Amino acid sequence: MSEKSANGGNSGAKSPDDASPYDLKDPGQLARNMARFLEESGKVVSSLAKRSNTSNKGPYSSISEAGEAAKVLGAVVNQWLNEPARLVGAQGRLLQGYADLWGRSVRRYLGEDVEPVAKPEPGDSRFKDADWEQRQFFDFWKQAYLLTAKWAEQMVEDTEGLDEHTRRRAEFYVNQISSALSPSNFPLTNPEVLRETLASNGENLVKGMQQFADDLGRSKDLLRISQTDYEAFEVGRNLATSAGKVVFRNELFELIQYAPTTEKVHKIPLVIVPPWINKFYILDLVPQKSFIAWAVSQGFTVFVMSWVNPDEHLAHKTFEDYMKEGVLEAVDAARKACGTRRVNALGYCVGGTLLSATLAYMAATGDERIKSATLFTAQVDFTHAGDLLVFIDDAQLRSLEEMMAERGYLEGARMATVFNMLRPRDLIWPYVVNNYMLGKKPFPFDLLYWNSDSTRMPAANHRFYLREFYKNNALAKGEMSLGGVKLDMSKVTLPVFELATREDHIAPARSVFSGARLFSGPVEFVLAGSGHIAGVVNPPEKKKYQYWTGKKPTSKKLSSPTLEGWLDAATEHPGSWWPHWKKWLEQHSSKLVPARNPGEGALKPIEDAPGSYVKVRSGGVYGGQGASTAKD
């Protein structure tokens, strides 16, 4: 491609010595690499054909989602067809936008400075390359795409006669389609990919197809796009390295007690309940990011539950089992190890939801073994549960339940796919471009390694969680029973520290706030900057983001009983919220006592941290009382 064609004919005369990044370097080598590319593509197509009869089926697969998208978007189209006058007006607006873009493009070609018709949103990394703006060819495709995508989103928003669930799903599918059709995802309309293709004579495309084949070979039912260099990390070697011992183990979890790094510690220990749909070491990544290591350094005796990665042998384990054989046994084990009557507890994400239900159960039965509770991005009231509600309706739940009934569990890859689909611009297409078009290896990133290290979910527990929390919102409504006991969140009167994050797509801040209003005791509500992970894993040394503090969520002094009303009177603070939490927890952790080493109390060490359960990949085999460390 010549300079003139890439720049839309506005570059002027060019001397023979002026090299353009869009000039063809070696036509012969390019042709040979294209032949290699076609050969590699043939292998991939053959592999896909063999897999088509046994894979890519069930919930969240490309086939099932394409069918769902057609059904939902068909409902939108039908509504517009019933109002032809409005439809013509909407089409006219799109055509007027195209005409405006074409007119301005001609004026720019003639040398006039013109304002663009459409601009990317701030932070849209798809169009960060300078040539998206400086070269008219790419700028035209970028603006045409942005015009169309915005128009499609507006069409869904303006559709009348849709129920809220259908509208939310339509918005989701439009986002999937528009993200996929971005010009940044095609070699001829992505300046970076085109430059690399011409500079390497197509070698990047050959490497990309080979990497696609490698990812396909590692995947099971669903394609797992490599998001990081998996060879760069290993749990226990450079992740989850905080010193400690496994001091308790049952079928569902191992309990790790961490070694102290201070001479004295607070008497009441802290028990962390992580989500069972992920592995606990999100709180113990590399040392400089480890929340666990930091909490230990502040003088707290820290325990963490490391959930087993279950297979069909644990299919029968229920949400109640995860409470009784999980949280409550962990609390008893920590009390026994430290010789205390009570513990403080901390729950993250669905671990916080489980802990909240446990608190309601304990309140109903007069159980006072937990003195205070900390909840990180944990939902109790699912009225405003956000984007994940797109996947919660009777048809999709039945499909999931049928799959889980057959296997005994839900493969972690399916939940990982759901989370990626919520943010395709950030979690899918950048890796498609980097890995398969540019032919580059993904960058080593500890957080993305953890994100790919998914866990299975036992059928009985996950079925209960999706139906009773997401679908029925039973805990918030006071309609949930565990162990024959009716749960009432208003009976929970112990002190609660509730953390929400402002840009959370998994547990929206609005949802977390509404759940915080259900507790009757003193609630310290804190809103952190960033999202579900970065807003939580935010060490003070990084000096990133900010956080807000304010009145109790149920305060009558708020302008309205909403997150927005709370924010109106909240105070913003720079940096990490961790020190603020530390001061709060110290008030509920009693006096200082000599530091406790794991294994010196009533519970003896079983093995070194991080234990065996956390090392079981989803391709491993559960080994009963122990655990296999087999990897995919």
Side-chain angles (χ1 to χ4, degrees), residues 528-554:
S530 196
H532 193 71
I533 302 298
V536 173
V537 184
N538 182 24
E541 294 76 14
K542 298 288 185 181
K543 295 181 168 54
K544 293 175 68 176
Y545 313 124
Q546 75 275 69
Y547 67 97
W548 290 262
T549 59
K551 295 180 172 62
K552 183 179 176 181
T554 54

Side-chain angles (χ1 to χ4, degrees), residues 244-250 253-256 598-599 603-609 611-612 625-626:
K245 303 285 186 182
V246 174
V247 295
F248 179 85
R249 174 187 289 153
N250 66 17
F253 75 97
E254 292 177 332
L255 187 67
I256 301 169
L603 298 182
K604 301 307 176 186
I606 298 173
E607 63 176 299
D608 289 338
S612 298
Q625 182 65 13

Side-chain angles (χ1 to χ4, degrees), residues 91-166:
Q91 291 173 328
R93 287 192 296 272
L94 179 62
L95 293 175
Q96 179 59 47
Y98 288 155
D100 194 9
L101 172 59
W102 182 255
R104 296 191 192 198
S105 297
V106 171
R107 289 161 55 196
R108 177 178 174 179
Y109 182 83
L110 296 175
E112 184 179 342
D113 288 334
V114 294
E115 281 292 314
V117 174
K119 292 182 179 180
E121 297 176 356
D124 190 342
S125 61
R126 296 175 296 176
F127 306 110
K128 64 182 179 182
D129 190 284
D131 281 358
W132 283 111
E133 184 174 343
Q134 294 175 5
R135 295 186 179 267
Q136 190 173 359
F137 173 80
F138 302 113
D139 185 47
F140 177 86
W141 284 110
K142 175 190 70 178
Q143 292 191 60
Y145 162 74
L146 292 173
L147 274 173
T148 308
K150 183 63 178 176
W151 175 84
E153 293 170 2
Q154 192 66 45
M155 287 290 285
V156 174
E157 186 176 330
D158 293 343
T159 304
E160 298 178 353
L162 292 181
D163 62 86
E164 189 57 32
H165 182 64
T166 301

Side-chain angles (χ1 to χ4, degrees), residues 251-252 310 313-322 325 458-462:
E251 279 190 311
L252 289 182
H313 296 96
L314 298 179
H316 62 286
K317 291 296 183 181
T318 63
F319 190 86
E320 182 179 322
D321 292 328
Y322 269 64
E325 299 173 26
N461 180 24
H462 201 56

Side-chain angles (χ1 to χ4, degrees), residues 9 80 89 125 248 340 343 346 428 460 619:
W80 280 99
S125 61
F248 179 85
T340 60
V343 304
L346 184 158
I428 296 177

